[in-house]
């Protein structure tokens, strides 16, 4: 029952919130209880926090809308089968972002502290190192999606889903480029540039909508994937430009991309020699690409003493 599912989700979120605030009140971390009273007496701090946070809230909302826009517009402009196929591809490509999402919780406070002391050089070094190693965690998986998309979809969902292989390839490229560019959005948040982040998300959301309208009627599933790919690439490029403008921060370095080139060459050779594979060979290919990618850092001289 749909209503039961919605009610269960709402109840679980409400209970979680109550437990969270109960913990804050009982254990009083950081002087929570006294802090609430003090903030109510002096509203300048809450007002400044709202001014800082509302663009971030809108930016997050726009990002969520863009995430669901493909499914909604596929349902309206294409067929229910396309919706089902696309909704199978999305969870796979989101795995690419898992490592970044776990890292962001540590990264933002660290960069905020550095930015508070105007230590831009340390931010640049941390940005490059984290991009190099956290991006490397996703590259073998991306190459598997890119060069063995049909085999991946067949192994996970069954043979009827292999028609979504081009969509998986397009989205894998988009998410991989986002990883290789680095945590642009998180860095802009840590440096206080939430309004520009909101504007960038708005622009990319509009582009995604327009491209969906233009491409889905003609290309269906692939059109939605191409629209999202273009929007994600545009969003990351605009963030990168803004980040370079405010702090000369970027990760466009050979030490990051040389190992990628070597491993991509190996993936191309394997895709030609091996062809369609099942689960056991797919796992073996992933392991081989992972080992090759890590080894290529040493082979290409991309490991420094700082690493």
């Amino acid at each position: 029952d749909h209503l039961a599912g919605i009610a269960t989700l709402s109840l679980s979120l409400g209970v979680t919130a109550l437990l969270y605030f109960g913990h804050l009140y009982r254990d009083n971390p950081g002087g929570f209880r006294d802090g609430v009273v003090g903030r109510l007496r002096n509203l300048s701090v809450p007002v400044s926090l709202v001014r800082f946070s509302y663009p971030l809230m809108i930016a997050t909302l726009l990002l969520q809308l863009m995430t669901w826009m493909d499914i909604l517009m596929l349902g309206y402009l294409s067929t229910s089968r396309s919706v089902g196929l696309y909704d199978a591809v999305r969870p796979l490509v989101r795995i690419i972002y898992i490592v970044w999402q776990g890292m962001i919780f540590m990264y933002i406070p660290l960069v905020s502290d550095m930015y508070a002391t105007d230590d831009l050089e340390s931010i640049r070094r941390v940005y490059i190192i984290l991009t190099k190693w956290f991006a490397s965690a996703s590259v073998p998986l991306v190459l598997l999606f890119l060069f063995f998309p049909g085999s991946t979809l067949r192994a996970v969902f069954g043979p009827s889903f292999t028609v979504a292989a081009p969509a998986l390839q397009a989205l894998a490229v988009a998410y991989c480029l986002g990883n290789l560019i680095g945590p642009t959005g998180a860095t802009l948040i840590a440096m206080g540039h939430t309004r520009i982040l909101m504007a960038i998300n708005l622009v990319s959301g509009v582009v995604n909508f327009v491209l969906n309208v233009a491409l889905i009627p003609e290309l269906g599933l692939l059109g939605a994937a191409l629209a999202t790919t273009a929007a994600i690439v545009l969003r990351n490029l605009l963030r990168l430009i803004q980040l370079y403008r405010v702090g000369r921060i970027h990760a466009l370095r050979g030490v990051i991309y040389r190992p990628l080139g070597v491993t991509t060459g190996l993936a191309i050779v394997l895709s030609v020699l091996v062809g369609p594979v099942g689960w056991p060979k797919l796992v073996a290919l992933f392991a081989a690409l992972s080992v090759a990618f890590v080894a290529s850092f040493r082979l290409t001289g991309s490991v420094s003493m700082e690493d």
Side-chain angles (χ1 to χ4, degrees):
D1 184 82
H2 293 85
L3 290 177
I6 295 171
T8 302
L9 177 61
S10 302
L11 181 62
S12 64
L13 293 174
V15 171
T16 302
L18 288 174
L19 291 174
Y20 177 72
F21 282 107
H23 157 68
L24 289 177
Y25 184 81
R26 186 193 65 183
D27 298 330
N28 198 31
F32 173 77
R33 289 194 298 267
D34 297 333
V36 170
V37 175
R39 295 296 181 263
L40 291 175
R41 291 173 180 170
N42 180 13
L43 294 179
S44 61
V45 174
V47 168
S48 64
L49 285 175
V50 169
R51 287 176 178 171
F52 173 83
S53 300
Y54 87 83
L56 187 58
M57 180 184 66
I58 296 174
T60 303
L61 177 62
L62 291 170
L63 199 59
Q64 291 300 318
L65 287 174
M66 196 174 93
T67 301
W68 287 100
M69 190 181 299
D70 296 344
I71 291 293
L72 295 174
M73 298 191 71
L74 269 174
Y76 182 74
L77 297 172
S78 187
T79 63
S80 57
R81 183 170 183 269
S82 295
V83 173
L85 291 170
Y86 194 82
D87 209 27
V89 170
R90 290 197 309 165
L92 287 178
V93 293
R94 284 180 180 172
I95 298 173
I96 299 170
Y97 267 173
I98 284 179
V99 176
W100 273 128
Q101 290 170 344
M103 179 271 296
I104 291 301
F105 293 103
M106 300 179 292
Y107 178 77
I108 291 179
L110 176 66
V111 173
S112 297
D113 288 341
M114 292 176 179
Y115 189 68
T117 58
D118 202 27
D119 190 2
L120 290 177
E121 183 56 35
S122 293
I123 296 176
R124 295 185 191 104
R125 291 203 308 272
V126 170
Y127 186 93
I128 292 170
I129 292 172
L130 290 183
T131 300
K132 181 194 300 186
W133 293 110
F134 280 92
S136 69
S138 64
V139 164
L141 185 64
V142 170
L143 293 176
L144 206 65
F145 291 165
L146 193 58
F147 294 101
F148 300 91
S151 298
T152 301
L153 289 169
R154 185 184 300 107
V156 177
F157 298 111
S160 61
F161 285 84
T162 56
V163 294
L168 177 60
Q169 289 174 307
L171 292 174
V173 169
Y175 281 80
C176 181
L177 288 176
N179 275 10
L180 294 174
I181 287 175
T184 51
T187 309
L188 287 171
I189 291 172
M191 296 171 69
H193 298 279
T194 54
R195 292 188 180 184
I196 189 66
L197 200 62
M198 177 183 67
I200 290 171
N201 284 2
L202 178 60
V203 170
S204 60
V206 171
V207 169
N208 192 19
F209 176 80
V210 172
L211 289 178
N212 272 318
V213 172
L215 297 177
I216 288 177
E218 295 294 328
L219 301 176
L221 174 71
L222 180 58
L226 291 175
T228 297
T229 298
I232 290 175
V233 171
L234 175 64
R235 184 182 71 209
N236 284 314
L237 287 177
L238 291 176
R239 288 178 177 179
L240 181 62
I241 291 170
Q242 176 64 15
L243 191 57
Y244 185 78
R245 189 180 71 83
V246 299
R248 297 295 187 268
I249 300 170
H250 68 89
L252 304 179
R253 306 292 178 91
V255 294
I256 296 175
Y257 299 111
R258 286 195 297 267
L260 175 62
V262 173
T263 317
T264 301
L266 175 62
I268 294 172
V269 172
L270 289 174
S271 67
V272 173
L273 296 178
V274 176
V277 296
W279 258 118
K281 287 186 178 180
L282 205 61
V283 173
L285 285 170
F286 176 74
L289 291 172
S290 299
V291 171
F293 189 70
V294 173
S296 65
F297 275 96
R298 176 67 67 179
L299 294 174
T300 58
S302 299
V303 179
S304 65
M305 291 298 295
E306 196 168 35
D307 292 320

